Amino acid sequence: MYQRCSAPSKGRLAQSNLWDVLRRGNYQYNDGKLSSFLTCVTAVSLDLTLTPLCRTHGQETAVLPGLLALTPPRKAARGREQDRLVVYLFLTGNATFTSAEYVQLASDAGALFHRTPGPLTSALRAAANAINQALLERNQSTSGRGQYAVGWLTLMALRDTQCTFLLSGPMHAFVLGPTPRHIFEPDLSGKGLGMNQTAPHYFTQLNLTANDRLLLASRVPSAWDSTLAGATTSSLEAIRRRLMTLTTEDLHSVLIQATAGVGDLHLLTHAAERHAEMVEIPREAPAPVIIPIPTPALTESLPPSELTESTPEPDPVEPYPAHVIGPSAYAIPAPAPTPAPVPTPRPIRADDFPASIPRARPKVEPIVAEPAAAREEPLPAPVVEEEARPTKRRRRHHAPRETSPFTRNFAKSILNGIEAWRRGTRRADEGMRKFLPRMLPGNEAGESKPLPDATLFFLAILIPVIVATIGLVMFLGSGRSSQYDNYIAQAKTARDQAVSLTDPVMSRDAWNEVLIKVDMAEGYRKTEETRLLRGEANQQLDQLLGVLRLNFQSAFTGKLNIKISRLAATESDLYLLDAEKGEVLRAQYITTRGFQIDTTFNCKPGEYNGYQVGPLVDILALPLYNLANAAVLGVDAGGTLLYCAPNLVPQARPLQTSNTNWGRITSITMDGGNLYVLDAPSRAVWVYTGKDSEFIDPPYFFFGNQVPEIQNAIDLVAKDDELYMLHSDGHLTTCTYSRITVRPTTCQEPPLVNPFPALQGSDLFAQANLTQMIYSSPPDSTLLLLGADNQVVLRFSPSTFELQNQFRPVLGSLPAGFIGAMTTSPNHVLYLAVGDQVYFSNEMP
């Protein structure tokens, strides 16, 4: 956990001879205080300074709604002890949020991040999923009223100098400096949170150095282009003032500067462009420090008689053991005719009142209203509901807006309908009063009797309910139809613009805009028109991005209740490796019912012919004819092979080792009858020459004097004398074996090439989370890499490593989720394991 370091004084160090140790640079001196001080100094080398750029309805505010900066709590999960997190959330839509709800939304995500152990990307993904689930549940509860909220999210995790971003929605991130970089991938980051069960997201990384500057923004004005490209030597304050004065549009951005330090977080607050104040965020605090947005339009525009001398404190927010840079959202009032000066913010203590709450009766200057013609109509913004204040305030009277002709006609029709209904019910009541008494016995004379009180009471309740229901149905039907017409018209306009564009990147963005508008229209009604627009947009995007859609179908009718880590296939059989038990299952293809599990097949850990076999880590489908008469070959981490076949007892055979023992076998592959064994912890690949799948001779070491760094290799394939190894971070290592003594075996790390213009500048390969690799069957042999997170199979040329196309499922043919395993059969059938089910496609080229 990051803590503020207090260095020993020079005098004290001199007394213990430590000062000379520091001066000479020898940090191996065994002293508890000095070692802890040096660890603290070197653990975090960068401070972050954040300055918001926030303007709403023409009024600049001191803090940015939706911005949180969190340091690790005392009891952070394993792997989160050194991760600082910046949460930047921007909500769009027409739903209302109180400030407490907004704060809670971002704070819960930050708390979940620091409670999630394991890889950094898993913690970031968990935080994004928390916000997505909260917004989705809220949208589902308010869909009947036509209200929705879409969250655009940027999560920035900083560990030492490595910065990892998660972006969801069309968010922008700029790196300012001599080599500027613009991170903006809407096709990968999706449309935002709260619209689907799965949270769309996009990962990217960069290394920060001292004096690096970042800009995070939800929308970027076009007037900023030149400044963002040339902001190299200007100070942070100069850049902020420049960006604020270049445009009068509403702004929702944050500037970040990294400086040499020990991991402090600072916030620059600004008051009406007059001066700025540095607020240092404490390293540890028992409760968050919330800096509210000043609201001069509410306090200074009221007469003194309406202001109380003191206002009760707002309800405290649930404490979070980190530092809150700014609240998630506050009610931003409509601009007054003449905005009053914004008071200069002062440093806020944890036990102090916010600056926006008056302590004494202020002197209020009279406000002179400017002519209505001179007022500028505010731009639409997300509706943020302000929490009710306990003090009474006089309402301001505004001139009523002119009602549109459509609203007047619609209201008139409702009133006419209600009046007609009343007349009809009145006539029916009079008729029933005359008719029913005549039907009763003993009333032949035709005398009328009044209806019972219970009947009259029931009719008094029923009739207004029916009238109100009819009116509500008419209103909802007409209103939803109007919203649908509006969004479908916008989608058609975006479609016409996309068709006219020739630049691939601009065309990609335009077609993504079409999909966004179609999603909004389908929120009210799904029609054939929206289906056609969606199909055309997806087809155009697939052509731009090199996507080939494959139709998948499930292999099994029910759930298998296993976690699948590896697959192997022949033309008729499918073999599945259970990752938890290390056992192989066999499935037979049944024409009418897909695949069926063979319950008699035995291929699991145990003792066979005198050898102990542990849980299997990898499997291979063997050729039809082999000496072992086996169908599938498995290997455990200790180097023992297990030959399995239907209706036969498995046979175990240990692999011979060289001069060293096995570290841990990671993966195996076969080529030309030879078995290649990857021992990643030992940085070794051993090759066993075999005959008919029998490997009894000692192996030879594949590498020569040049042994590559393959400790994190997770998979390998071989073709002739070429060896390909996939690393856990997604990059490849290729080696060419030399059979000539004077020419040694060479290895290199070739870059993956993306030739599609519409994907230029995007980090497609880093986002794919590459986990497995196979060599497809001849005649068109290619290298297939599995992107487990994005459900994509990337197809590369094995010689140039250029992306040929992407295999993605037809929408709806594959459920959302992580792909655990992949394989292909000799007859070009592609198999993918999602959860405990396997899906296959016969359409792979």
Side-chain angles (χ1 to χ4, degrees):
M1 183 173 65
Y2 296 95
Q3 299 178 351
R4 184 179 301 278
C5 304
S6 57
S9 64
K10 179 177 179 181
R12 293 174 59 187
L13 286 174
Q15 295 175 5
S16 60
N17 295 326
L18 295 181
W19 181 255
D20 293 335
V21 176
L22 283 176
R23 180 170 51 82
R24 292 193 302 268
N26 183 6
Y27 298 153
Q28 302 299 321
Y29 192 85
N30 187 13
D31 184 274
K33 294 182 179 179
L34 178 60
S35 60
S36 62
F37 167 67
L38 293 176
T39 302
C40 186
V41 170
T42 57
V44 179
S45 58
L46 294 178
D47 290 351
L48 293 182
T49 302
L50 298 90
T51 176
L53 292 83
C54 186
R55 182 189 295 140
T56 305
H57 301 305
Q59 179 182 1
E60 182 182 353
T61 54
V63 293
L64 181 65
L67 178 64
L68 294 176
L70 310 173
T71 56
R74 292 183 180 275
K75 295 183 179 180
R78 182 180 298 273
R80 304 283 79 76
E81 300 90 342
Q82 298 181 357
D83 293 338
R84 291 172 289 168
L85 179 68
V86 175
V87 182
Y88 172 32
L89 176 64
F90 177 71
L91 291 182
T92 65
N94 57 5
T96 58
F97 277 80
T98 64
S99 58
E101 291 173 330
Y102 215 134
V103 170
Q104 193 67 34
L105 196 63
S107 299
D108 289 348
L112 182 60
F113 170 82
H114 284 118
R115 293 199 308 266
T116 304
L120 177 60
T121 54
S122 298
L124 291 172
R125 191 182 298 110
N129 287 333
I131 297 179
N132 179 72
Q133 188 63 29
L135 291 177
L136 180 63
E137 293 176 356
R138 186 184 181 99
N139 289 340
Q140 290 174 346
S141 63
T142 60
S143 60
R145 301 192 299 269
Q147 296 181 355
Y148 70 96
V150 180
W152 298 359
L153 177 66
T154 296
L155 297 178
M156 187 181 82
L158 182 64
R159 179 185 298 174
D160 295 338
T161 60
Q162 187 179 49
C163 186
T164 303
F165 288 90
L166 180 145
L167 294 94
S168 181
M171 296 291 276
H172 299 259
F174 291 88
V175 180
L176 310 180
T179 57
R181 179 183 175 187
H182 181 195
I183 303 173
F184 179 60
E185 297 297 336
D187 55 324
L188 300 177
S189 58
K191 307 177 184 70
L193 304 176
M195 302 176 67
N196 296 289
Q197 291 289 345
T198 303
H201 58 274
Y202 164 70
F203 286 113
T204 187
Q205 285 185 341
L206 56 89
N207 287 323
L208 290 181
T209 58
N211 300 321
D212 279 353
R213 299 186 182 108
L214 304 174
L215 173 68
L216 308 181
S218 55
R219 295 187 176 95
V220 181
S222 58
W224 284 5
D225 294 344
S226 59
T227 300
L228 296 179
T232 56
T233 59
S234 302
S235 64
L236 189 66
E237 175 64 15
I239 296 175
R240 190 196 71 84
R241 291 182 177 273
R242 174 71 174 169
L243 295 177
M244 293 295 294
T245 56
L246 279 176
T247 179
T248 59
E249 301 178 19
D250 285 0
L251 302 177
H252 196 278
S253 309
V254 58
L255 269 172
I256 304 175
Q257 178 168 339
T259 56
V262 292
D264 283 341
L265 302 176
H266 303 278
L267 171 66
L268 286 176
T269 58
H270 307 274
E273 296 292 338
R274 288 199 298 266
H275 41 273
E277 180 179 2
M278 175 75 76
V279 178
E280 180 176 345
I281 305 302
R283 301 305 303 271
E284 293 184 5
V289 179
I290 300 181
I291 305 176
I293 298 177
T295 56
L298 290 179
T299 58
E300 297 185 15
S301 62
L302 298 176
S305 60
E306 294 297 321
L307 295 176
T308 59
E309 294 186 358
S310 64
T311 304
E313 286 184 302
D315 294 336
V317 183
E318 184 70 20
Y320 181 81
H323 312 301
V324 179
I325 292 274
S328 291
Y330 284 86
I332 302 175
T338 303
V342 181
T344 304
R346 58 185 177 84
I348 303 300
R349 303 189 304 272
D351 57 350
D352 197 5
F353 278 94
S356 61
I357 300 180
R359 286 233 181 231
R361 189 187 308 274
K363 294 182 180 181
V364 181
E365 298 293 336
I367 298 177
V368 181
E370 59 180 320
R375 301 174 188 169
E376 182 179 356
E377 185 179 355
L379 296 175
V383 180
V384 182
E385 180 182 348
E386 183 176 10
E387 297 181 84
R389 299 178 180 267
T391 57
K392 296 182 179 180
R393 293 179 178 175
R394 180 179 300 172
R395 295 184 178 178
R396 302 181 61 189
H397 298 281
H398 299 276
R401 295 186 302 174
E402 182 180 356
T403 307
S404 63
F406 172 78
T407 305
R408 291 197 299 269
N409 294 334
F410 181 66
K412 185 177 179 180
S413 63
I414 291 179
L415 293 176
N416 292 336
I418 294 175
E419 184 63 28
W421 177 264
R422 288 178 177 174
R423 289 195 300 267
T425 54
R426 191 180 304 116
R427 295 193 187 99
D429 181 56
E430 293 175 355
M432 292 296 289
R433 285 177 179 271
K434 296 179 181 179
F435 174 73
L436 289 178
R438 298 174 180 176
M439 300 296 296
L440 297 175
N443 289 281
E444 290 81 359
E447 66 274 14
S448 63
K449 290 185 178 181
L451 292 176
D453 293 340
T455 304
L456 294 176
F457 179 74
F458 176 75
L459 291 175
I461 295 177
L462 179 62
I463 293 175
V465 170
I466 294 176
V467 172
T469 303
I470 293 175
L472 181 62
V473 170
M474 293 175 60
F475 174 76
L476 292 179
S478 177
R480 294 175 67 86
S481 178
S482 176
Q483 290 288 347
Y484 168 82
D485 294 338
N486 181 30
Y487 286 127
I488 202 66
Q490 295 180 23
K492 290 180 179 179
T493 302
R495 183 261 177 198
D496 295 338
Q497 181 183 3
V499 171
S500 62
L501 294 174
T502 57
D503 181 78
V505 177
M506 295 179 63
S507 180
R508 178 198 66 188
D509 295 341
W511 286 113
N512 279 323
E513 183 68 19
V514 173
L515 290 177
I516 292 175
K517 299 302 180 183
V518 170
D519 286 339
M520 292 180 176
E522 289 186 341
Y524 297 95
R525 188 166 70 248
K526 291 185 178 181
T527 63
E528 182 68 16
E529 194 172 21
T530 60
R531 187 189 67 81
L532 293 176
L533 279 174
R534 180 183 296 278
E536 182 183 9
N538 285 327
Q539 183 180 5
Q540 293 296 331
L541 284 173
D542 288 348
Q543 292 179 1
L544 289 171
L545 305 179
V547 175
L548 179 61
R549 298 284 175 179
L550 304 181
N551 190 23
F552 286 86
Q553 53 184 317
S554 58
F556 304 99
T557 56
K559 295 184 177 180
L560 300 177
N561 297 322
I562 63 173
K563 184 178 180 181
I564 305 171
S565 61
R566 294 286 182 177
L567 293 173
T570 64
E571 292 188 358
S572 59
D573 294 344
L574 178 65
Y575 297 93
L576 305 83
L577 177 60
D578 186 346
E580 296 180 351
K581 298 181 180 179
E583 176 184 359
V584 181
L585 304 180
R586 174 177 177 254
Q588 296 174 283
Y589 181 70
I590 307 299
T591 306
T592 57
R593 294 178 295 175
F595 285 83
Q596 184 176 3
I597 294 294
D598 181 6
T599 57
T600 63
F601 184 74
N602 180 23
C603 190
K604 59 185 177 181
E607 185 176 350
Y608 303 97
N609 52 284
Y611 298 104
Q612 185 67 34
V613 180
L616 303 180
V617 296
D618 201 358
I619 58 175
L620 293 174
L622 294 177
L624 183 59
Y625 301 103
N626 55 81
L627 292 179
N629 198 23
V632 63
L633 172 66
V635 64
D636 64 6
T640 302
L641 299 179
L642 186 64
Y643 293 85
C644 303
N647 304 320
L648 294 178
V649 178
Q651 297 292 320
R653 295 173 188 175
L655 288 171
Q656 294 191 34
T657 59
S658 181
N659 299 328
T660 60
N661 294 325
W662 296 109
R664 176 180 173 82
I665 293 180
T666 308
S667 179
I668 59 174
T669 189
M670 288 185 62
D671 177 63
N674 296 334
L675 180 66
Y676 294 75
V677 181
L678 171 62
D679 185 359
S682 302
R683 295 176 59 193
V685 174
W686 299 98
V687 184
Y688 291 83
T689 56
K691 181 178 181 182
D692 294 332
S693 303
E694 291 283 348
F695 312 100
I696 58 176
D697 296 331
Y700 65 87
F701 191 59
F702 185 88
F703 309 113
N705 296 328
Q706 180 190 3
V707 181
E709 299 291 336
I710 59 172
Q711 292 92 332
N712 64 342
I714 57 177
D715 204 356
L716 84 164
V717 295
K719 184 64 176 177
D720 298 331
D721 289 332
E722 297 291 333
L723 182 67
Y724 307 87
M725 289 171 287
L726 175 65
H727 295 256
S728 59
D729 58 1
H731 81 274
L732 292 179
T733 296
T734 64
C735 298
T736 303
Y737 182 75
S738 176
R739 303 180 184 274
I740 305 175
T741 307
V742 296
R743 182 182 177 183
T745 299
T746 58
C747 296
Q748 59 179 344
E749 295 182 356
L752 301 177
V753 181
N754 182 1
F756 295 94
L759 287 172
Q760 296 302 321
S762 65
D763 204 358
L764 173 64
F765 307 132
Q767 294 304 311
N769 186 17
L770 304 177
T771 58
Q772 289 186 16
M773 173 176 58
I774 59 176
Y775 213 92
S776 64
S777 303
D780 185 17
S781 297
T782 55
L783 204 59
L784 302 180
L785 275 71
L786 172 64
D789 285 349
N790 295 344
Q791 291 193 339
V792 60
V793 177
L794 303 177
R795 186 185 186 200
F796 290 91
S797 168
S799 58
T800 62
F801 300 98
E802 182 177 271
L803 179 65
Q804 295 182 352
N805 44 39
Q806 309 177 48
F807 295 153
R808 291 183 180 268
V810 173
L811 298 179
S813 66
L814 200 66
F818 181 86
I819 298 181
M822 167 189 68
T823 193
T824 59
S825 65
N827 52 347
H828 286 260
V829 178
L830 177 63
Y831 296 88
L832 299 177
V834 181
D836 60 352
Q837 179 63 276
V838 179
Y839 299 84
F840 65 96
S841 174
N842 299 313
E843 300 174 356
M844 188 183 75

